[in-house]
Amino acid sequence: MLLFRDEEHVDRWCAAREIRRGAVVSLDQAWRLAHGWYRDKAKPFWRRHTVGEAEALFKEVGLSGPFWSLRG
Amino acid sequence: MIQLADPTGDLATEVRVTLFSVAAATGRVPQAPELARTLQRSESDVRAALRQLAAARALILAPNDGDIWAASPFCAVPSAFRVSALGRLYFGICIWDALGIAAAIDAAADITAPCGDCGAPMRLEIRDGALARTEGVVHFAVPAARWWDNIGFT
């Protein structure tokens, strides 16, 4: 996952590599996603999210649809 | 589909707790020899535990030598995704992990990363558990279900 100045830079990066544009998310969404994903990672009781938990996190952050499905 | 198996072996748990504790406290990801010395176990046992943790996707091993590439979100080698926090320097393998470091250490953090397209330096700040300075957008190139097809390109 890369940071870009704006969506025009995303499109230029994708075009240069002939890859389809993926999903563009705001920094606020990315922060909330990272926080939910990693906040317990360094703690002894950490465990992996279940598929349901991960998808619930995506949804909570406003990320839904086929791109964010883990059941593909 | 993402596999959910968690490491359940005692040594794997000891290795995980130790290495993430060191990474969070220092910004440096300890490798197998250091973990073996710390835990007073053989290096081969520790490497087996690391493979178990990698299979459970708790960390990522480098493809050639089997060393830890990233105890996500903590990258074991310097990268362009730099996190300054608690007077230390941490590295993430991507912008999500850089943000994840700030979350994992629960501290104020300054993140610098280049624009993926033009390379222009960009800066984010985390304060009091929230984004205090932000610029740009984040692009996920690969659908979530395929992230682990090649975790080095997502």
Side-chain angles (χ1 to χ4, degrees):
Chain A
M1 301 84 176
L2 297 177
L3 183 64
F4 292 88
R5 295 187 68 80
D6 54 37
E7 296 201 32
E8 184 180 328
H9 284 242
V10 172
D11 289 338
R12 204 160 59 192
W13 181 84
C14 291
R17 287 156 186 78
E18 298 183 333
I19 62 173
R20 184 184 299 179
R21 175 177 158 134
V24 174
V25 307
S26 70
L27 256 300
D28 180 64
Q29 286 175 305
W31 164 244
R32 289 191 288 140
L33 188 61
H35 190 270
W37 199 267
Y38 282 129
R39 67 183 167 211
D40 294 330
K41 187 67 188 285
K43 296 173 181 167
F45 60 79
W46 173 84
R47 63 166 178 77
R48 278 184 63 79
H49 294 101
T50 65
V51 166
E53 288 167 346
E55 289 186 333
L57 175 60
F58 295 159
K59 187 175 178 184
E60 181 185 317
V61 173
L63 305 172
S64 59
F67 190 93
W68 299 100
S69 171
L70 294 172
R71 301 168 196 272
Chain B
M1 178 164 166
I2 289 201
Q3 299 298 308
L4 303 172
D6 275 334
T8 55
D10 289 340
L11 180 57
T13 299
E14 283 184 58
V15 168
R16 176 178 62 79
V17 170
T18 300
L19 86 86
F20 278 92
S21 173
V22 172
T26 69
R28 181 179 57 78
V29 176
Q31 296 290 345
E34 178 180 341
L35 291 165
R37 287 194 302 274
T38 301
L39 297 171
Q40 297 186 305
R41 300 293 293 261
S42 72
E43 187 176 326
S44 62
D45 283 351
V46 168
R47 287 192 181 279
L50 291 175
R51 288 192 294 273
Q52 189 179 352
L53 289 164
R57 296 176 178 172
L59 51 80
I60 307 167
L61 297 178
N64 295 322
D65 60 11
D67 281 350
I68 301 167
W69 175 33
S72 306
F74 305 101
C75 185
V77 294
S79 78
F81 301 92
R82 299 160 63 95
V83 182
S84 297
L86 302 171
R88 293 185 281 276
L89 182 61
Y90 300 79
F91 298 98
I93 61 172
C94 65
I95 189 61
W96 185 13
D97 281 8
L99 291 164
I101 288 168
I105 64 175
D106 191 22
D110 293 347
I111 298 171
T112 57
C115 170
D117 176 52
C118 69
M122 302 174 72
R123 181 183 173 95
L124 314 173
E125 294 178 4
I126 307 294
R127 298 289 185 274
D128 299 320
L131 275 169
R133 174 194 165 101
T134 179
E135 58 178 321
V137 296
V138 174
H139 178 246
F140 288 73
V142 177
R146 292 176 34 217
W147 287 344
W148 283 92
D149 291 357
N150 176 5
I151 195 62
F153 181 79
T154 54

